[in-house]
Every structure is written in C-alpha cells, then in structure tokens.
C-alpha cells in the first residue's frame, strides 16, 4: 500500500458554477445541475435536482459530469459529503459547491475512492481543511494535494466490492420501502382523494348512503359525517430547538436522533437515523421541545413542506414543527398522507421574509378533514402493516450500515484482507 496525492491518480478535479440569476435561472431542460443538496454519503438526492437547458449547459461544458465521476461537496454545512454520480441523471453539470473527482481508471477505482473518503477519520481531515481555509471551503489545490493510502487496483476492487455487498442490500431495502410507500399512498388516494364514488357500496366513502355536505371551512363537499378540525385540535404541536453547540456535553454519537430538514428529504415514512445525535444531557436541556411516539415532522423554515414520520423519541431543530400525542391512535397515518397531499400549499403559508418561515401559530391553525372513526380505523388497519414493514427494513439497513462502517477502516488500513476472488474475508 502506498500513499499518493489525488492529482497523481485523477484526470480531473474541479467545480462549476450556477447560471446567472441563481435559483430562478433554472429554466428546465435535459441537463441536470448537481448541487450540494443532491450529494449525500449514503444516497443521491434526486428530489431537488435542478434542470438547465442546453445553452446553460454549454457554458458549463468544462464541468460536464461523466459516468463514474466521484462528487464531493466543498462548501457549507454539507462539506465533505461524497457520492458517485448516478448514471440515470446524466447528462449533468455541477455548480460551484460541488467538485468532480475523476479517477484514472487504471490507477484508482471510483468506488474505492468513495468508500475511502467517507471514513470518519478521513472526513474529519477534509472538514479541518475547510475550516482552516479563508473561504471555509475545500479548495481545488487542497483536493489535488490530499493524500490517500492506495492499495493496488486489484485489491481496491476487492475491498470496494465487499463493502458494496452491504450497500446493495441497503439499496434493496430502500427499493422495497419505496414500493411499500407507493402502495400506502395509493390506498390513501383511493380512500380520500376525489370523492368520486360516494354511492358505491363497499367503498370507504359509502357513508350515510353516500350523502355529501358542503364544508364552509374548506369550501368543498365532504362526506356528511366527517368533520373539519385544526391541527392543534388533534395533536400537540411542538417546535424544535437546538441545544447549545458551545457545550460539547449536549451532543453524542448515538443517544437521541437530532433531526433537521435534511432527514425529511423524500418525505420518509420511517426515520431511523440522523446526521447528528444529542446526548441525554442535551435532550434534557430541550425536553419540552422534543417528541415521542408516533409523530409527524414538517419542515417550516427555508424549505417548507418536507414531511416525515417517526415513532421514536427524538429531538428536532427549530426548522421543524411536529405533531405528536394525537387524540386518537388512528389519526397519525392518515394525517401524514393528508399533509403530504397539501405540501405544496404549505409554501403559501410562509411569511413574506427573505427566508420563508411557517410559524408554529400558522401551522397549528391548518384545517384538516377528519373522517369518521370507522373509516379511520379501517384505513389504519390497511396501512399500518406497511409502515411496520418499512420500519423493519429501515432498522435492518441501519444495522447493515453500522457493520459496513465497522469494516470500512479495517479494510482500508489492511487489518482485514480479502482472501480470495469470491470476496470472502
């Protein structure tokens, strides 16, 4: 194993730019513009992938992304997050917050480089470089001169492939969960969107012989024995809080999940991990701002309307309003999908400020249709097993990730070696 600088084993290292006009300049088209919010260590976030047209892409031809490129965030709170560009989002360009690292294939295996850079000890080195820079960024020079321990190419492939086995199982769990989520969504849509079949016996809308009444609050027809309430009437509304970052005792590596808007990317049905954790000491300092049991989390500052579901005791930051302690155990699943169905409308509730804010006082006043108890119970019986299966798969993925992260440094430093071509240790 030898130590080399990245410039010795790569053909390109470089970041791009944002088209003039900033966010409003994304005119759509066939080219993806990869931003820091797309690049995570564990997955590539397609949810907020910007699109630019051919003219805009041509101006960024010097940062055209190629299949197999490794991407790294070089500025901001997400600095040092690393991923490999997914083939299906090409053609693509990167903006100024993301750098392309293009390995020379005869010298450096891209998947090995990805695993190498996500090691906690390596990530800390990259973060130190960013903090030590006058720009608070990982510069091109610092990336080019960054040194890595490099086994021969054959062993790079073996090491990465061993770790990939675990990641493929995690990916399979994610794909299964995605399908389960779609099934749950379809059940909700059939039961509660449209009211197209009020007179069909056996359909959940078949109430009071299909009678519909006009709701003044919602200005639409709803089934006769359903109700309209405010969120504050059906659950406790809690706004999160961040424990002091100046006191290291507030944070830990495993005690309580500390959830921010990033954990709500893709509207997760089950949150089983977070980028940060707080200690029991930190949890106690903000206990009145924490949540427990089946709870729904909604991002309410900056990016409005991301929605997540958890049944753990967790803390959130102040960018999230949560619903917890529902007045009925049958409400939580239904309310998750209801809020998801109106997530775009939530943007309109944000204050007219530079940074959009949906205040707690505004959030808790949101009106929601409440079905009758029989319908809610039937719906819960339909979707609860799907939620439980998603949770089980998500928990398994967390354990597989722990195993991967335990193996990772030992494989990288040679403590554990791959014995044969069948990828056994």
């Amino acid at each position: 194993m030898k130590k080399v600088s990245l410039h010795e084993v790569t053909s390109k290292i470089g970041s791009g730019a944002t088209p003039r006009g900033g966010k409003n300049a994304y005119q759509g088209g066939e080219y993806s513009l990869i931003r820091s919010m797309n690049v995570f260590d564990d997955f590539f976030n397609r949810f907020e992938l910007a699109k630019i047209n051919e003219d805009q892409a041509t101006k960024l031809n010097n940062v055209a992304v190629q299949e197999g490129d490794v991407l790294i965030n070089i500025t901001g709170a997400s600095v040092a997050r690393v991923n490999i560009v997914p083939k299906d989002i090409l053609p693509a360009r990167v903006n100024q917050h993301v750098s392309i690292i293009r390995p020379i294939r005869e010298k450096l295996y891209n998947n090995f480089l990805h695993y190498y850079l996500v090691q906690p000890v390596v990530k800390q080195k990259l973060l130190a470089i960013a903090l030590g820079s006058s720009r608070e960024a990982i510069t091109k020079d610092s990336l080019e001169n960054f040194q890595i321990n490099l086994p021969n190419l054959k062993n790079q492939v073996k090491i990465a492939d061993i770790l990939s086995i675990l990641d493929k199982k995690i990916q399979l769990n994610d794909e299964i969960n995605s399908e389960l989520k779609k099934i749950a969504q379809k059940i909700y849509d059939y039961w509660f969107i449209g009211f197209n079949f009020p007179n069909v016996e056996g359909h959940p809308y078949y109430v009071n012989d299909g009678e519909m009444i006009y709701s003044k609050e919602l200005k639409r027809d709803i089934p006769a024995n359903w109700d309209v309430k405010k969120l504050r009437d059906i659950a406790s509304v809690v706004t999160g809080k961040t424990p002091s970052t100046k006191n290291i005792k507030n944070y830990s590596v495993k005690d309580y999940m500390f959830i921010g808007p990033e954990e709500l990317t893709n509207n997760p049905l089950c949150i089983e991990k977070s980028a940060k954790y707080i200690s029991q000491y930190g949890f106690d300092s903000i206990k009145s701002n924490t949540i427990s049991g089946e709870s729904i989390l909604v991002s309410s500052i900056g990016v409005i309307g991301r929605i997540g579901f958890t049944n753990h005791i967790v803390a959130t930051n102040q960018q999230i309003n949560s619903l917890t302690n529902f007045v009925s155990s049958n409400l939580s699943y239904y309310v998750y999908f209801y809020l998801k169905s109106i997530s775009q409308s939530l943007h309109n509730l944000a204050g007219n400020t530079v940074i959009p804010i949906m205040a707690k006082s505004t959030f808790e006043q949101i009106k929601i249709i409440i079905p009758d108890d029989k319908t809610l119970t039937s719906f819960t019986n339909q979707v609860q097993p799907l939620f439980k299966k998603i949770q089980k798969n998500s928990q398994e993925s967390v354990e597989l990730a722990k195993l991967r992260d335990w193996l990772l440094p030992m494989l990288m430093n040679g403590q554990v070696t791959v014995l044969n071509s069948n990828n056994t240790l």
Side-chain angles (χ1 to χ4, degrees), residues 41 43 49 91 206 208 237 248 261 269 274 306 361 368 376 409:
D41 292 333
F43 71 100
L49 190 62
Y206 188 74
N208 291 356
V237 180
I248 194 171
L269 274 183
S274 60
R306 291 179 180 176
S361 58
I368 179 171
L376 272 178

Side-chain angles (χ1 to χ4, degrees), residues 231-251:
L231 290 180
R232 70 180 185 185
D233 297 327
I234 63 170
S236 299
V237 180
V238 177
T239 301
K241 186 177 182 180
T242 300
S244 173
T245 56
K246 295 180 180 179
N247 189 346
I248 194 171
K249 290 170 63 177
N250 285 328
Y251 294 87

Side-chain angles (χ1 to χ4, degrees), residues 287-316:
K287 197 163 187 177
S288 62
N289 299 88
T290 62
I291 58 177
S292 62
E294 292 183 345
S295 305
I296 297 166
L297 293 66
V298 182
S299 61
S300 301
I301 297 180
V303 179
I304 307 292
R306 291 179 180 176
I307 299 165
F309 184 94
T310 183
N311 58 6
H312 295 286
I313 300 172
V314 303
T316 74

Side-chain angles (χ1 to χ4, degrees), residues 45-168:
N45 175 24
R46 293 168 172 80
F47 189 65
E48 294 173 288
L49 190 62
K51 289 290 187 175
I52 57 176
N53 61 32
E54 187 171 0
D55 289 341
Q56 293 172 311
T58 299
K59 295 175 182 178
L60 294 172
N61 273 345
N62 63 318
V63 285
V65 184
Q66 295 182 10
E67 183 178 349
D69 281 352
V70 175
L71 307 174
I72 180 169
N73 290 347
I74 55 175
T75 67
S78 66
V79 69
R81 290 200 310 229
V82 183
N83 208 311
I84 296 175
V85 62
K87 182 178 178 181
D88 63 288
I89 64 105
L90 299 177
R93 306 290 187 264
V94 295
N95 75 357
Q96 68 272 26
H97 303 297
V98 181
S99 182
I100 295 168
I101 304 177
R102 185 169 298 149
I104 298 172
R105 294 185 179 183
E106 295 77 20
K107 297 180 179 181
L108 177 61
Y109 183 40
N110 64 341
N111 213 11
F112 174 87
L113 178 61
H114 169 246
Y115 285 121
Y116 190 93
L117 294 178
V118 298
Q119 295 179 88
V121 64
V122 175
K123 192 172 287 290
Q124 287 301 317
K125 291 179 181 179
L126 291 167
L127 289 171
I129 290 172
L131 291 173
S133 165
S134 59
R135 294 170 48 200
E136 294 189 353
I138 303 175
T139 65
K140 179 179 179 180
D141 285 345
S142 60
L143 270 181
E144 289 179 337
N145 294 316
F146 191 78
Q147 293 191 322
I148 64 173
N149 295 317
L150 196 66
N152 62 51
L153 187 62
K154 183 178 179 181
N155 282 334
Q156 290 177 44
V157 173
K158 287 182 177 180
I159 290 169
D161 285 354
I162 283 288
L163 297 168
S164 292
I165 292 171
L166 298 172
D167 275 336
K168 286 176 181 176

